[in-house]
Amino acid sequence: MLKARRQAAEQVAASLIAAETAIDAALTLTAKLAGQMPSVRADAGLSALIGQGALERAIEAMTALGLARNHIVATHKELSLAQTQIGLGAINVVADGGSGEKPPAADVAPMARQLRAVRSSARAA
């Protein structure tokens, strides 16, 4: 029974890590896109009015991805609780995909502050 629970937890962990990785990749690529648009526009000698709507949509997409990241991190925390509830508290399946070792804690606070700043400036505009 414990083996079946561990296997189930490892399957869920793999999906969770894939989802976290995909959201981070999407956020990274969208940030790159949003960063390129103003510089490419300026390099081409175009008015700041050109592409403003597209830039705003990219920023909104980054905000949505930030919210998605927040939700997937909350999912991770909830699965960590479920892991304990099914008797796998000593096995760190959810955090690392089954290796038994906790990954180093990432400092997401600076990113959260940046996303809030972007969201606030987008609303002010």
Side-chain angles (χ1 to χ4, degrees), residues 27 31 59-70 108-122:
L27 187 55
I59 292 168
E60 288 171 2
M62 286 177 28
T63 301
L65 287 165
L67 183 58
R69 191 176 195 285
N70 186 338
V108 296
M111 180 176 286
R113 282 193 297 274
Q114 289 172 335
L115 291 172
R116 277 194 294 276
V118 167
R119 185 172 43 227
S120 295
S121 65

Side-chain angles (χ1 to χ4, degrees), residues 7 12 21 23 28 36 50 53 60 69 75 86 92 100 102 104:
Q7 287 175 337
V12 170
T21 302
I23 291 169
T28 300
Q36 275 181 329
I50 303 298
E60 288 171 2
R69 191 176 195 285
T75 300
I86 64 170
N92 200 2
K102 272 195 180 278

Side-chain angles (χ1 to χ4, degrees), residues 21 24 33 39 43 52 55 64 69 75 77-78 81 87-88 91-92 96-98 104 120 125:
T21 302
D24 283 349
L33 171 65
S39 60
D43 290 347
Q52 179 61 28
L55 179 60
R69 191 176 195 285
T75 300
K77 289 178 185 177
E78 292 292 334
L81 293 174
L88 297 176
I91 304 168
N92 200 2
D96 70 347
S120 295

Side-chain angles (χ1 to χ4, degrees), residues 5-53:
R5 284 182 282 176
R6 181 176 174 84
Q7 287 175 337
E10 287 174 352
Q11 288 175 342
V12 170
S15 294
L16 172 66
I17 291 167
E20 289 173 342
T21 302
I23 291 169
D24 283 349
L27 187 55
T28 300
L29 292 171
T30 306
K32 180 179 177 181
L33 171 65
Q36 275 181 329
M37 286 190 279
S39 60
V40 169
R41 180 209 42 85
D43 290 347
L46 300 171
S47 165
L49 299 174
I50 303 298
Q52 179 61 28

Side-chain angles (χ1 to χ4, degrees), residues 12 16 20 70-86 94-95:
V12 170
L16 172 66
E20 289 173 342
N70 186 338
H71 289 303
I72 203 70
V73 167
T75 300
H76 195 135
K77 289 178 185 177
E78 292 292 334
L79 285 171
S80 292
L81 293 174
Q83 173 184 333
T84 302
Q85 292 168 345
I86 64 170
V94 174

